[in-house]
Amino acid sequence: MTAATATAKLTTVETKLLVREPGSLFTFLIPLFILVVFGSSIGPGDTTLLPMTIAIAIGLVALYLMPTALATYREKGILRRLSTTPVRPVSLLTVQLVLQFALAVLSCGLLLAVAGAALGARMPANPLSFALVFTLGTASMFAIGLLIAALAPSGRAANGIGVLLYFPMAFLAGLIQPASQMPAIVVRIGEFTPLGAFRQSLADVWTGGAPDPLLLGVMAAYAILVSLAAARFFRWE
Amino acid sequence: MPVIDVTDLCKSYSGRTVLDHVSFSVEPGEIFGILGPNGAGKTTTVEIIEGLRRADSGTVRVLGLDPIADAAALREVVGVQLQHTQLPDNLKVWEALDLYASFYEHPRDWRELLDEWGLADRRDTRFAKLSGGQKQRLIIALALVGNPQVAFLDELTTGLDPQARRATWELVKQVRDAGVTVVLVSHFMDEVEELCDRVAVFSDGRIAAIDSPAGLIAAVDAEHAMRFTPAPDAAATAIDLIRDLPGVSAVTRSGAQVIVTGRGDFATAVTAVLARNHVLVSDLRIDTRTLDDAFVALTGRSFDR
């Protein structure tokens, strides 16, 4: 069979595994739960809640789901086993990244659909700006996830590091309490973290403004530099 | 032409020599054993042959291919079972076989492997729910699904119960009988003795000997023992008769039992003399020499697991 058949089969199998993984369901349910619980108290013009829940969804996929999956594959010797077959282990990593990104898009799509249809929340005025911010924010967070996967000795360790990183990042990003209720200096520091820059850029898009180039630069820098570090430190076994 | 040809392989990790001029060749259709204690260089050797590691010096050819330069061609024709490999917990048996079959140009029909390896009734079971023996059989089946000409099996029965080990051995013989050359890495003497046509005995990064298991055992002139219980009044006579026989090095008594140690085929001489002189004995036992003895004699140390 050809490499295309193998990649197709790999994608099918990895999709099944992702669906069977209980963690996947949680990355849908937790942001949705927050949206629905707080959604009852927002006004029609609210520009805070949706950006927060989208940032939470991306944070969960990037810091919990993806690093745990990748580190587990290495821990179980699956990447090494693949390297003895005609398929290269990097194919598996690529398929995983694409699927995790698809999961992130689906999760956000669900949030937008529920918020738009059931809660009457406001949608971003400029879809292109939203797509740009979403892509950069997801890329920067996935880079952090890849670095965790590269450094963690086991799937369990990756999960632990993900948890440890998530809470301070979520706090600085204004996801635990809204940024408007936080000290200005903390908000300012938060804007230099990938999740904070992401949340703030989303909020800018929602209020109808253009995203701040500085924040886009922060996300792009994390995406590139941290990915390079992850590639540098990644071990196949 | 040998299937695998290894010449002067050397490898060291941060100054520590792991392989020291290792050379051997594997003939078509044999089960070739690589035997030795942990740390003797067995797995390193096999991983260099598989192309997972690079040697510091020396050459390797597998079916005429260089494991590094011709890596892509080599991966099509070898099947590998690695030590400690697992699969994702939620992957079903048929999905694993179907997936790995899709990696190869000319795979086997995985449904046949399902039957051959006794996994047909576990077809839809997830990996995490399989027993240890079933997991191991699936991992071996995955090494064969690409229809390889050479299969590498590394510590294939570690962690299996005796019954599952025996069953696995029978299956490995069938793999050989189907024409696949098998390289078996093991630290189990009984496994190597049962399965291998030829064995390379590794010790401290060198090959101490290469021969059939029977040849290795026969070549060893180790001291071994026989014991018997003579009739109570005949013990002294018996000891006098056998003390000076050729090959006998010591005769001792332990209660009613007489223990004779010696080299070579002294046991035949002892039983012949006793019979000729009408000395009645019971509970006659001759300790047979094993591959363990051969290993100790070859490497000068006991087999440390």
Side-chain angles (χ1 to χ4, degrees), chain A residues 4-78:
Chain A
T5 329
T7 308
K9 196 77 89 175
L10 204 53
T11 310
T12 313
V13 167
E14 290 302 316
T15 307
K16 286 182 183 176
L17 290 175
L18 200 60
V19 170
R20 288 173 195 163
E21 176 63 47
S24 311
L25 193 61
F26 282 106
T27 59
F28 278 100
L29 290 184
I30 292 172
L32 194 63
F33 177 75
I34 294 171
L35 181 76
V36 171
V37 166
F38 292 97
S40 52
S41 59
I42 59 167
D46 178 74
T47 57
T48 310
L49 187 59
L50 255 180
M52 277 176 75
T53 50
I54 288 175
I56 290 171
I58 301 302
L60 289 175
V61 174
L63 295 181
Y64 286 147
L65 207 55
M66 192 203 20
T68 309
L70 295 186
T72 305
Y73 277 0
R74 179 180 54 224
E75 185 187 5
K76 285 180 179 283
I78 291 165

Side-chain angles (χ1 to χ4, degrees), chain B:
Chain B
M1 192 183 99
V3 170
I4 299 173
D5 209 351
V6 175
T7 315
D8 266 342
L9 218 53
C10 293
K11 176 83 182 172
S12 56
Y13 293 121
S14 53
R16 197 173 61 88
T17 303
V18 181
L19 295 180
D20 187 6
H21 297 281
V22 165
S23 302
F24 62 90
S25 57
V26 178
E27 299 301 323
E30 69 175 343
I31 301 181
F32 186 85
I34 292 186
L35 175 73
N38 294 331
K42 307 184 302 279
T43 296
T44 304
T45 303
V46 172
E47 287 181 348
I48 290 171
I49 300 174
E50 292 161 353
L52 287 173
R53 290 178 198 281
R54 282 168 187 270
D56 296 342
S57 64
T59 57
V60 177
R61 291 291 176 275
V62 184
L63 301 160
L65 301 167
D66 180 319
I68 302 293
D70 311 315
L74 183 67
R75 293 186 200 112
E76 281 289 346
V77 290
V78 301
V80 175
Q81 174 244 322
L82 296 169
Q83 219 178 329
H84 311 307
T85 300
Q86 295 186 57
L87 292 171
D89 284 346
N90 290 325
L91 190 63
K92 293 177 182 173
V93 168
W94 78 267
E95 290 169 340
L97 285 162
D98 185 40
L99 176 67
Y100 275 69
S102 77
F103 296 167
Y104 297 90
E105 290 281 347
H106 307 289
R108 286 196 56 188
D109 183 348
W110 55 263
R111 291 161 198 88
E112 287 175 18
L113 281 166
L114 214 53
D115 288 330
E116 283 170 27
W117 289 83
L119 293 164
D121 60 337
R122 289 285 170 272
R123 194 193 136 103
D124 294 320
T125 307
R126 296 179 182 198
F127 185 72
K129 301 281 182 199
L130 296 174
S131 73
Q134 289 163 347
K135 282 181 180 170
Q136 193 66 358
R137 292 208 297 276
L138 176 58
I139 298 282
I140 299 169
L142 289 180
L144 301 172
V145 78
N147 208 4
Q149 298 181 44
V150 189
F152 294 91
L153 306 176
D154 196 344
E155 301 291 1
L156 84 161
T157 60
T158 299
L160 297 189
D161 61 57
Q163 202 184 347
R165 293 184 74 206
R166 291 246 152 229
T168 308
W169 290 349
E170 289 313 309
L171 289 163
V172 172
K173 287 180 194 167
Q174 287 175 26
V175 171
R176 185 234 352 241
D177 295 344
V180 180
T181 305
V182 178
V183 175
L184 182 83
V185 179
S186 181
H187 69 273
F188 292 121
M189 295 288 179
D190 55 350
E191 183 166 295
V192 167
E193 206 169 338
E194 169 82 23
L195 284 179
C196 294
D197 298 299
R198 288 192 309 135
V199 189
V201 179
F202 274 65
S203 174
D204 293 327
R206 293 163 186 263
I207 293 183
I210 301 183
D211 204 341
S212 65
L216 288 173
I217 295 166
V220 170
D221 191 24
E223 197 159 75
H224 59 289
M226 67 181 293
R227 55 197 81 212
F228 56 86
T229 309
D233 55 342
T237 323
I239 290 169
D240 284 341
L241 282 170
I242 58 186
R243 183 174 289 141
D244 298 321
L245 286 174
V248 171
S249 49
V251 181
T252 54
R253 289 184 73 165
S254 167
Q257 213 176 36
V258 175
I259 301 166
V260 189
T261 51
R263 291 171 183 277
D265 195 19
F266 72 93
T268 312
V270 169
T271 47
V273 158
L274 292 175
R276 214 161 40 235
N277 291 280
H278 309 291
V279 177
L280 293 176
V281 302
S282 56
D283 295 335
L284 174 70
R285 230 173 55 220
I286 301 167
D287 296 349
T288 50
R289 285 164 298 174
T290 62
L291 204 50
D292 280 279
D293 299 324
F295 184 85
V296 173
L298 283 167
T299 64
R301 59 188 189 140
S302 67
F303 198 85
D304 182 22
R305 284 186 186 165

Side-chain angles (χ1 to χ4, degrees), chain A residues 109-195:
Chain A
L110 184 69
L111 290 171
L112 289 174
V114 170
L119 305 174
R122 193 155 133 184
M123 290 294 131
N126 187 340
L128 276 181
S129 303
F130 172 67
L132 175 69
V133 168
F134 182 83
T135 307
L136 277 179
T138 309
S140 64
M141 288 306 294
F142 272 33
I144 307 274
L146 281 174
L147 186 62
I148 297 174
L151 296 177
S154 67
R156 196 178 284 263
N159 200 282
I161 297 170
V163 174
L164 278 178
L165 271 180
Y166 180 78
F167 284 99
M169 285 180 80
F171 172 73
L172 286 172
L175 300 180
I176 310 252
Q177 54 176 330
S180 56
Q181 295 166 25
M182 285 164 47
I185 179 71
V186 177
V187 176
R188 188 74 185 141
I189 293 170
E191 285 175 353
F192 289 92
T193 66
L195 202 53

